[in-house]
Amino acid sequence: MKKTNYYHPVSRAVKYALASGLALGVYSSSTFAQDAAATEEKVEKIAVVGTRSAPRSIADSPVPVDIIGGDELMKSGSSDMLNMLTTTVPSLNVQTTPISDAATLIRPVNLRGLSSDSTLILLNGKRRHRASVITFLGGGLNDGAQGPDISVIPGIALKQVEVLRDGAAAQYGSDAIAGVINFVLKDADNGGSIEVKQGEYFAGDGTSTEIAANIGMPLTDNGFVNLSMQYKNVDATSRSVQRGDAQGLIDAGNPFVAPIAQVWGSPKIKDDITIFGNAGLDLGNDREAYIFGNYSERDVTGGFYYRNPHTRGGVFSNDGGQSLEVIDTTGMGNCSNVSLFDGERKLNHNEITARVAALPSNCFTFFSMFPGGFTPNFGGNITDTSLTAGTKGEFKSGLFQGVFYDFSGSVGRNESSFKIINTVNASLGPDTPTDFDAGKYIQLEKNFTADFVKFINAGLYNDIAFASGLQWTEESFEIVAGEVASWEIGPYVSQLTNGSNGFPGFQPDDAGLNVRRNYAAYIDVEAEFTEKLLMAAALRFEDYDSFGNTTNYKITGQYRLNDDWALRGSHSTGFRAPTVGQANVRNVRTAIFEGELQDVALLPPTHPVSLLKGGKELTPEESRSYTLGLVYSGSGFFFTADLFRIEVDDRISQSTEFNVSQSDRDVLRAAGVRGVESLSKVTFLTNDFDTVTTGLDLVANYSTSLLDGRSTFSLAYNWTDTEVKRFTAVTGDFKVSRLEKDLPDHRATLTWNQQWQDIDMFVRGNYYGSFQGVHADDPDLTGNGSAKVTFDVELAYHLTDSFTVAVGAQNLFDTKPERLPSWMSDILGAKYFETSPMGINGGYYYLKGVYRF
């Protein structure tokens, strides 16, 4: 007679029921949920990510998986999912992104030192669509990345989060080079909670107010509907000092310069609302239907670089601040530039104002409109929607009898509408607006999948799980042109720049829709040969209509040495397909070069200008991943240690910036290429370098009775090292330095969770290793960031069984990030390196109330 499964005591019936989730789908009918709950009483943490057989405990998984419960995620002052995850998974990093164009709107996340689009995001086991934003100023590591927008997912909607720290492209397709994060929605059919939270930083800014709610309801007698909502507003922060040039203007008598001309800090988030729904219905005869999705929308506004009224090229001056550029608005021809000097002496503000006032009425300079200069504010509206529906169950008769199936379809859409205010289209002269709608990016994805699992009795210790499936995907990226004034070439373009300054609107020539389709087929086999040995293998074929096909494989295994110890390991190949957006995006941004603001055009890699500088059509990244791990589980103690190595060839990223010379323009113009007259610097996305990332993950948990209560201690440590093995001048030395040094090599968290009858206490220490500090993406503004330790704490009091109040703080002792040298602060007005892994805002405290019903 066959023994009960040694690894986790799941009955055969429950195993088959759970396996019907197949492609990581959540066991969502009320019957399945009850069986799963009974199972989890015996196994503390169960994961479905990483296997298409029955879910496994994280100690029995042949690959490293972190499971973070929804309650643990909510023990955080932050309501941003990115911040919640980075404090619990040390191999996950999120950098602060002030003054970073669209990266300010949707921040990228990095798992195991790789770019944000190297981690596959799933929701209830189904592929999550990408954000429409492509990160142009991504701190080196994420330059050109296009990953999903994780921040729209509210913590109150989640049952748990599963983080697979292993290459999994052979199982789940493109983007899973670094791993997979699966967000599992709550599926209760009763009860719920309401949470109100408010907090602010110790500095007195960044005030946030959040209201969140969750409710579970029955759907007839055999199903559930679980709904979650979150609404929040977050004020901006400022970690700035006055810029040196702005202070110089004030000292020269200019009363129009703002006290802080340029703000470095987190953006303002307004009317951030998100709604998630999850529903399942038992159809009887081991069949069920499911549907889940979301609607999310928010407005985000952040600052840009200050435009000095004496020196900003193309607006105020074209000779580096020797004189103010003056335009003739009537063609009378009696206008000349206004000198800012009297011999060697720089004029003060009153003297300059007098010279401008003396100009004839037909002569105009932007100094008269903005005598103190101006700082554009950039922002946008982010709208995210998705819907997934499907049915799953078991074929009871016929050719496929005994086969579990899961048929699903999903659609996801992310739209980013860009707006820039307090700026000008200088080429329009005095007729320019100061607020502009700059256009939109729209990302739309459709997925249809058919997944199958068959358990086969082959006389082994347990049945062989044989899975297979098909997937069809359509992905589109659309650019919508901005309003005319945002890109219009005005009558004064021969002297002044055109387009909304700082972020020119998308032109009609840039606008358009690009579509790509691909299909995939896979097989996945998992077998327990003996009581001690588990092996699995996966093979996946994908065909893209843009670049062709790719085939990848994965082999994993676990060998249990005894009741407490086990060895595990894996080897896989993988790929990451270039996105449609990466292949077709256009953008113009403002960047710092040798202390001066310059406009940089990002063009498609196959644009004639890009080709002239070495661009070529994008191809997939290719990877090889290796892991070897040790697991201990016994006597209330859990420990894992996993070594990993990820080799990635032909990584996709943004090239260095290339100068466009007059001879380049002449060649392009002769070839019939339009719109090259205003180009001075260009960049493009390219496959130009290879990397090897090696590291170690340590995870330990221990529970015991302590201090007349229940204590749980958790330790998580990550060491990651990235080495660029091949690159050319298209990437450049500075990008290589950022890839290798910007993220800390060492990260760790140590958590103490204490529970008494009426009081809960949560304390976490966070360690951030040393890193390379980079300011304003400028190679001349770099330094060394030292290691830091911060502490988070939350104290909750249960007033009744239903109502809890809590007070807490993140970075309790207000540990400051790495400070910029004074000469760097003087240039652009920032206090800290924005690449600091702990963020730049300092300590944050909050108060919240939770009502459960």
Side-chain angles (χ1 to χ4, degrees), residues 501-538:
N501 194 269
F503 193 94
F506 305 131
Q507 301 181 30
D509 286 349
D510 299 334
L513 176 68
N514 293 277
V515 181
R516 182 184 68 194
R517 299 177 180 88
N518 69 282
Y519 66 88
Y522 74 87
I523 55 173
D524 193 333
V525 181
E526 186 173 310
E528 296 175 37
F529 289 91
T530 69
E531 185 178 5
K532 296 179 179 294
L533 179 62
L534 165 70
M535 295 291 293

Side-chain angles (χ1 to χ4, degrees), residues 702-729:
Y702 178 68
S703 296
T704 186
S705 297
L706 185 68
L707 302 176
D708 296 324
R710 188 66 179 170
S711 298
T712 302
F713 298 93
S714 302
L715 170 68
Y717 164 80
N718 168 259
W719 166 70
T720 298
D721 178 75
T722 295
E723 181 181 359
V724 178
K725 305 294 289 187
R726 178 194 66 85
F727 71 99
T728 73

Side-chain angles (χ1 to χ4, degrees), residues 359-387:
L359 289 171
S361 60
N362 63 302
C363 301
F364 174 80
T365 174
F366 273 102
F367 180 86
S368 60
M369 182 180 290
F370 295 101
F374 63 93
T375 304
N377 282 306
F378 174 73
N381 175 272
I382 311 297
T383 303
D384 186 279
T385 56
S386 70
L387 184 66

Side-chain angles (χ1 to χ4, degrees), residues 672-745:
V673 181
R674 297 187 301 166
V676 298
E677 289 77 7
S678 61
L679 291 180
S680 59
K681 285 184 177 291
V682 298
T683 182
F684 49 88
L685 299 184
T686 178
N687 300 89
D688 186 63
F689 61 94
D690 306 335
T691 61
V692 174
T693 300
T694 54
L696 171 67
D697 287 321
L698 299 177
V699 175
N701 294 285
Y702 178 68
S703 296
T704 186
S705 297
L706 185 68
L707 302 176
D708 296 324
R710 188 66 179 170
S711 298
T712 302
F713 298 93
S714 302
L715 170 68
Y717 164 80
N718 168 259
W719 166 70
T720 298
D721 178 75
T722 295
E723 181 181 359
V724 178
K725 305 294 289 187
R726 178 194 66 85
F727 71 99
T728 73
V730 173
T731 295
D733 293 332
F734 181 51
K735 173 68 71 66
V736 170
S737 174
R738 304 209 66 179
L739 290 163
E740 294 182 338
K741 301 177 181 178
D742 271 17
L743 292 179
D745 288 345

